[in-house]
Amino acid sequence: KGQQLMDAGRVYFADGSGLDMRKAMGFKNLDLYCVAPIVHGEEQLASYDFWAVGVNCCSGVSSDFRCGEFNNPHARSGLRLMRDDQRPF
């Protein structure tokens, strides 16, 4: 669970983890903030603790997250957002 990793700076995910593009979305506030949940397998979850996040790399209209290494099947890690000025978004 994400609550156990609140002090992490870098997180490595297990093989079989990836983005759930069906739940990707965008939010515009000057910049376009794009997100997609990181999942393991196909199971529907009650809540999602880990998200891939990018800025200005989706349309915000459909599930089209195209940020960073989104299409790299070997990508297995992420960094925690540390910029205080972007946390509200």
Side-chain angles (χ1 to χ4, degrees):
K1 291 277 184 191
Q3 190 72 24
Q4 298 169 337
L5 300 172
M6 291 298 291
D7 61 348
R10 183 182 302 169
V11 178
Y12 293 93
F13 297 96
D15 285 340
S17 298
L19 303 178
D20 185 347
M21 296 300 219
R22 298 166 298 176
K23 293 182 178 62
M25 62 184 81
F27 161 72
K28 186 161 182 83
N29 183 15
L30 300 177
D31 285 307
L32 184 58
Y33 295 86
C34 311
V35 297
I38 300 170
V39 297
H40 187 78
E42 297 292 321
E43 183 181 341
Q44 180 80 17
L45 302 175
S47 65
Y48 295 87
D49 290 328
F50 300 101
W51 294 78
V53 178
V55 179
N56 298 322
C57 48
C58 66
S59 71
V61 193
S62 63
S63 297
D64 66 343
F65 186 87
R66 303 279 183 260
C67 307
E69 295 290 315
F70 78 96
N71 61 349
N72 180 348
H74 303 294
R76 291 285 172 264
S77 62
L79 298 175
R80 183 171 178 205
L81 177 63
M82 303 303 269
R83 287 186 52 186
D84 288 336
D85 64 322
Q86 290 184 338
R87 285 184 190 212
F89 306 109

